Amino acid sequence: MVKVAVVTGSNKGIGFGIVKGLLKRFDGVVYLTSRDDGRGKAAVAKLNELGLKPEYHQLDVTDRDSVIRFRDHIKEKYGGIDILVNNAAVANSTSFYNNYEECKTIIEINYLSILTIQELIFPLVRENGRILNISSDCGHLSNIRNIYWVKRLSKKDLKVEDINDFANWFLEGIKEENFNYDDIADEGTVAAYRVAKVALSAITMLQQKELESKNISVNSMHPGLVQTDMTHGIGFYDIDQAAETPIYLVLDAPDSLKGAYVWYDRKVLDWYDYKADYFFKTSTLKTSTQKSE
C-alpha cells in the first residue's frame, strides 16, 4: 500500500515549504494542491528542478465540487491518505481592519472550508494517520477578550455549533457596523483572521475526539511569523525553516500528542489560557521589519 501525504494551499509559502520537506523525508507520495492550476503546476516545476517529484491536483477548499473531485481522485488512485496538512489560508488585506466582504472571505477560507474538508476528506485518512491544521498565534484563545465567548469556547461539551455561532457573531457585528473591537486583543486588529484561526484551533479538539477511535492525531500549530506573500515578506523565518515543526508534527511527534495547540518551537501551549501573552501583536511586524533591514 502506497502512503499518501496531502498539503492544501501548497503552491507557495509555508505549504510549499512543507511539500518540499516531505518530499525529502516521507516514504510515499506527496500531493501539492492549489486553487489555481497554473500556479500549482508552476510550483511543481520548481520542485522538479530540485529533483523532487510531487503529485499535483487542483483543490479549492472553498469549492465543494473541487473537494469532491479531489476526494474521488485519491479514493480511486490510492484508496486513502496518511498525512493531511490543512494549510490553505488567506489574510486578504494589507489593512489591519477589514470590510464585511473581506471578513466573510477570511472566515470562509480559514475556517468554514475546514468543515467541508472534515466532511469529505477526513474519512479517507487511514488508521494511525496524522492531521495538522495550520493555525497562528492569532488562533490562541488569548486573542479573544469577550468573556462570554472565552467561556463558551472553553466548555467541556463544546460543539461545532458553538464555534459556528462565534464566527457568525463576529460577521454579524461587522455587517451591522456595531462590532466592539475591544472584544479582540491588540485593539481589534486583523479581527477576522483572529476569529477564523481561533475557530480553527477550537475545532481541532473536536476533530480529535471524533477520530480517536482510528488512532488519528489531530493538532493545530502556530508556524511563527514567516516571510511569505501573506505577510508581505515580513517575518523571522523563511518557508523552509517554518516547515520544520509541521514536518516534525506529522512525521516524528509521539503518538500521544493529540488535540494540541503547538507553538513554532514545538512547545505545547495551554490553548485555554486566555490570560496568557500568546496573542498576535501588530508591534511584532515592526520588530521583524527592523530585524530584516
Side-chain angles (χ1 to χ4, degrees), residues 14 17 20 221 223 225-227 235-247 264 266:
I14 299 168
K20 184 161 63 164
M221 73 156 300
L225 187 60
V226 186
Q227 298 156 4
F236 297 107
Y237 311 98
D238 63 31
I239 61 170
D240 293 329
Q241 292 169 321
E244 289 176 7
T245 295
I247 290 169
Y264 61 86
R266 303 184 185 178

Side-chain angles (χ1 to χ4, degrees), residues 34 64 72 97 136 138 212 238 272:
S34 67
R64 188 178 180 84
D72 292 347
Y97 298 94
S136 164
C138 285
E212 189 65 49
D238 63 31
Y272 297 99

Side-chain angles (χ1 to χ4, degrees), residues 27-96:
D27 183 21
V29 169
V30 181
Y31 268 89
L32 184 152
T33 70
S34 67
R35 182 174 48 181
D36 181 271
D37 246 346
R39 290 175 185 170
K41 287 170 181 172
V44 169
K46 275 188 199 174
L47 291 169
N48 288 164
E49 287 171 13
L50 299 173
L52 302 172
K53 301 193 180 302
E55 292 216 24
Y56 172 75
H57 201 283
Q58 191 274 342
L59 176 62
D60 180 348
V61 295
T62 64
D63 179 348
R64 188 178 180 84
D65 289 339
S66 173
V67 179
I68 288 172
R69 283 193 297 273
F70 180 67
R71 176 199 66 185
D72 292 347
H73 166 80
I74 293 289
K75 219 172 185 178
E76 187 179 333
K77 194 164 184 183
Y78 292 110
I81 294 170
D82 300 276
I83 291 172
L84 174 62
V85 181
N86 294 305
N87 169 75
V90 66
N92 209 46
S93 173
T94 56
S95 171
F96 287 143

Side-chain angles (χ1 to χ4, degrees), residues 275-291:
K275 293 182 179 178
D277 187 27
Y278 295 129
F279 61 92
F280 170 69
K281 304 165 190 69
T282 51
S283 59
T284 309
L285 299 176
K286 295 172 188 173
T287 306
S288 174
T289 304
Q290 289 164 357
K291 187 175 178 180

